[in-house]
Amino acid sequence: IESDNTDAGLQSGRVLCEAIGGEGEIAIVNWSALGAVRARTDGLKKVLEEEFPNVTIVADQDAYGKV
């Protein structure tokens, strides 16, 4: 069994954007060494680009696994 991490990013991105009313600023705190996290971040960025043009990423910070 395997998860689709890009789809997980799309889905969580939609929930996030709907929760803030479809507009505003967000920050991403990730761990780029993990492929799953990179895929989820890609999914989030895709949903922002395609469905929520009024949501802006103001920071994208790698936490190096220390969150």
Side-chain angles (χ1 to χ4, degrees), residues 18-62:
E18 289 168 1
I20 64 171
E23 60 183 56
E25 298 177 337
I26 64 169
I28 299 172
V29 179
N30 65 51
W31 188 6
S32 65
L34 293 178
V37 175
R38 287 192 308 273
R40 290 176 190 168
T41 301
D42 289 345
L44 168 63
K45 289 179 179 179
K46 182 176 181 178
V47 80
L48 292 178
E49 180 181 314
E50 294 178 358
E51 299 177 27
F52 296 95
N54 295 323
V55 176
T56 304
I57 298 170
V58 295
D60 188 349
Q61 178 67 46
D62 195 321

